[in-house]
Amino acid sequence: MRFNYKFSNVLGTVYREGNLTFTPDGNSVISPVGNRISKFDLKNNTSFTLPVESSHNYEQIALSPDGNLLFAVNEVGEADLISLVSNRVIHKYRFNERVLHLRFSPDGKHIAACKLNKIFILQTPGHFIGQFNQFALERVFSDILGDTTYVAWTDDSSILAVGSKDATVRLYTIGNYSNFRPYSLTGHPDTVVGIFFEENSLDLMVVTRNGHLSVWQCSLLLDQLTTVESVDNKRLKLNDDEEDEIDLSKGEDRERYIINKEEKYNKKQLLLDNKNILSYRKLSTHYLNDFIKDEHNNLKMTAADYHKKVKILVTGFSNGSFLIFETVGKTLIHSLNISDTSISTIVLNNAGDWIAIGCKGHGQLLVWEWQSETYVMKQQAHGSEVSCLTYSSDSVYIATGGEDGKVKLWNTQSGFCFVTFLEHTSTVTDIVFAPNKKFIISASLDGTVRAFDLTRYRNFKTFVSPRPVQFSCVSIDSTGEFIAAGGQDVFEAYLWSMKIGKLLEVLSGHEGPIVSLAFSPTISSTTLVTASWDKTLRIWNAVENASDHETIQLFADGLCVAFRPDGNEVVVATLDGQLLFFDVRTSTQVGSIEGRNDLGSGRTDTDLITAKKNLQAKYNNFLFYN
């Protein structure tokens, strides 16, 4: 038998941390999901996770103007250049430090990266510059006092503005312009959160963490930047009188003469350029925090984005609110609170009608259409770890339960969560689909077993025990008429009727927590098997005679149990790594597998014990017959 498994998608989370970006067509949003990157197609309602994996979580991503290259940097400064055509990593680069912001130049030839108090300018390999070699570091600007937080380019990629934690914006250029000097914009009251150039202009806006918006006007137009001519073009012809005084046949006299001419010419050009040199003046300052009605003393602006053509400014705050402003009159268009945690990133698509918002605290990813005030996409991950999951019989749906008490249903074809149940108040420990796929059953440490309708999406039945019990496992029989659950703190199994919701039997006998149970898949059989930490496997005739059961002694604690599809054999996984097979009719062992032979994975550099000792602590905690 050959297994040709291929990675397909990541479910359970849609956003972890970092920034979001839209594709050039504006129909898809790209999100960093831990150490992977997912792409959500908003038009076709599908998701896809790139088959690219990093050793650490991705924090910053940037998309090239043509949408073919994705530059992603993880939390330790390891960068990957990913081709979105082949979905493969084509180049790698190491910054060796955390990168706080990334931005491609509009012409796609350069990448600007904010690292510590420096800004790195890299050449982009590809058709933009006609070279396909690895990254070439072109410039490094390091005259910044605080850590750099944001970088922005002009539309012609000639000038970039860099914001930092020292509340200063500095302007740099890669080219050489005679009327440009490195310029600093000061007077901002807090850390720079965003810098936005106007369309085809050097005028810019700066937003800071305390909610201040500063508008700066440049003395020059973008097309008034003049490039410095080469020395050969600047040389003037020699006058006849000067030729008589200087012997140009001598090399030293000729060189001194040319240098003097160049100095005089440069002085003249400098006097002309100083009359038209680049400078800025602040036009106005606006206080965006005042537009939020509630009083928040510690309210901070955490993210911002600006659309040059539509003239729309979007700002996100630490209380989960975001505001939309029209920058022409600095008027508030729309405000909404979407979360009780801070907004981590916010971005507009190229059309300016969709806003993608990411919240790190809850793992939320939202796409909001501000004109119609509707959600294009609204997804949220489990608040903590996923504790259990199960497939539907047709493999179309996956149900997950989390330590946050949520039960979520995922569509395996689209990759989206389409319903979330919030009735549980503690960790969901087990979950199963009904044979007819019309409902699911979940067990929780809150002492309840709940049935959720998959048609109306509601909790239509709740099963409880006579005394409070933390349920650790649940199962449903092949007819869908009986439900069994095992206790973790009370060492008993409970049997309910699905139709009337009444407790039928309490199965006692175990001396340790019941960690797994399963009904026989045969329709004519009501056999139930339970595995426990008391090193026993018990076979019950649950419905007909609850007191009639067989006890099988195990060599170690039982962890998981499963029936063979014909119902004649059962397998149990134990703490010592064994898989033991038993005949249900005779209660005799018919086979075993040494599971640890397949569990060895060596020793990592962070392990404090040897690989041999580490292998002794490994075991299988989930079993399933195919």
Side-chain angles (χ1 to χ4, degrees), residues 47-120:
S47 67
F48 169 71
T49 301
L50 302 180
V52 174
E53 186 176 6
S54 176
S55 58
H56 296 78
N57 291 341
Y58 285 113
E59 276 194 340
Q60 294 294 326
I61 59 175
L63 190 64
S64 63
D66 61 357
N68 292 332
L69 296 177
L70 180 69
F71 193 62
V73 184
N74 62 22
E75 57 194 4
V76 296
E78 297 174 351
D80 296 328
L81 185 66
I82 305 168
S83 170
L84 295 184
V85 178
S86 62
N87 294 327
R88 294 292 184 269
V89 176
I90 55 178
H91 287 300
K92 288 182 175 290
Y93 188 84
R94 297 181 69 91
F95 288 100
N96 297 322
E97 290 288 346
R98 186 183 179 192
V99 175
L100 295 183
H101 194 241
L102 285 174
R103 184 63 61 90
F104 271 92
S105 61
D107 59 8
K109 295 181 179 180
H110 298 91
I111 303 172
C114 297
K115 168 190 165 184
L116 297 179
N117 65 332
K118 300 179 178 65
I119 184 75
F120 289 75

Side-chain angles (χ1 to χ4, degrees), residues 349-590:
N349 69 343
N350 286 346
D353 52 354
W354 288 353
I355 304 172
I357 304 170
C359 299
K360 177 180 176 181
H362 290 329
Q364 289 178 308
L365 176 58
L366 312 173
V367 179
W368 175 262
E369 187 174 359
W370 63 272
Q371 293 175 332
S372 61
E373 299 185 5
T374 57
Y375 283 108
V376 180
M377 184 183 77
K378 185 178 182 181
Q379 294 287 301
Q380 180 175 342
H382 282 282
S384 54
E385 294 184 3
V386 176
S387 55
C388 57
L389 64 86
T390 184
Y391 260 101
S392 62
S393 57
D394 55 3
S395 300
V396 175
Y397 304 114
I398 294 177
T400 60
E403 293 182 356
D404 56 356
K406 295 179 181 178
V407 175
K408 289 178 173 287
L409 286 176
W410 305 80
N411 189 311
T412 58
Q413 297 176 350
S414 67
F416 287 107
C417 171
F418 60 92
V419 64
T420 301
F421 300 107
L422 307 173
E423 281 74 13
H424 284 296
T425 58
S426 187
T427 300
V428 180
T429 55
D430 200 6
I431 188 168
V432 293
F433 273 93
N436 57 9
K437 298 178 295 182
K438 292 183 178 180
F439 60 92
I440 57 174
I441 304 293
S442 62
S444 172
L445 296 181
D446 62 3
T448 62
V449 174
R450 298 179 182 269
F452 299 98
D453 188 356
L454 299 186
T455 302
R456 299 181 180 179
Y457 302 127
R458 63 187 181 92
N459 176 207
F460 67 96
K461 277 188 180 178
T462 302
F463 306 95
V464 295
S465 57
R467 55 175 176 169
V469 177
Q470 291 182 332
F471 294 110
S472 59
C473 52
V474 68
S475 181
I476 185 170
D477 75 327
S478 57
T479 62
E481 295 182 0
F482 301 103
I483 297 172
Q488 178 175 288
D489 55 345
V490 178
F491 312 142
E492 296 174 341
Y494 299 85
L495 185 67
W496 294 276
S497 170
M498 184 64 205
K499 290 183 178 180
I500 62 178
K502 181 180 178 181
L503 180 66
L504 301 179
E505 294 288 349
V506 177
L507 309 179
S508 303
H510 280 291
E511 299 176 358
I514 301 175
V515 292
S516 180
L517 49 78
F519 276 102
S520 172
T522 306
I523 297 178
S524 59
S525 175
T526 59
T527 302
L528 175 71
V529 294
T530 58
S532 172
W533 286 358
D534 62 1
K535 299 182 180 180
T536 62
L537 174 71
R538 297 177 185 263
I539 304 175
W540 309 79
N541 190 358
V543 178
E544 297 177 1
N545 187 2
S547 60
D548 182 17
H549 68 275
E550 291 285 344
T551 302
I552 300 175
Q553 198 69 32
L554 305 175
F555 297 106
D557 297 358
L559 301 177
C560 185
V561 65
F563 265 99
R564 199 169 66 183
D566 60 6
N568 296 327
E569 189 177 282
V570 66
V571 60
V572 59
T574 58
L575 191 61
D576 59 357
Q578 297 278 344
L579 299 180
L580 306 177
F581 298 86
F582 296 94
D583 190 304
V584 176
R585 294 166 295 183
T586 61
S587 301
T588 57
Q589 183 175 345
V590 295

Side-chain angles (χ1 to χ4, degrees), residues 193-194 196 207 300-305 314-317 343-346:
V193 175
F196 311 106
V207 290
K300 299 295 182 183
M301 182 187 296
T302 55
D305 195 24
V314 184
T315 59
F317 293 87
I343 293 178
S344 303
T345 179
I346 193 166

Side-chain angles (χ1 to χ4, degrees), residues 134-170:
Q134 294 189 4
F135 294 101
L137 181 61
E138 184 167 332
R139 295 289 296 274
V140 177
F141 301 102
S142 57
D143 59 336
I144 306 172
L145 298 180
D147 289 350
T148 53
T149 58
Y150 200 91
V151 60
W153 295 83
T154 54
D155 287 344
D156 64 350
S157 304
S158 60
I159 293 178
L160 68 155
V162 182
S164 60
K165 291 184 179 180
D166 62 359
T168 302
V169 175
R170 291 172 173 82

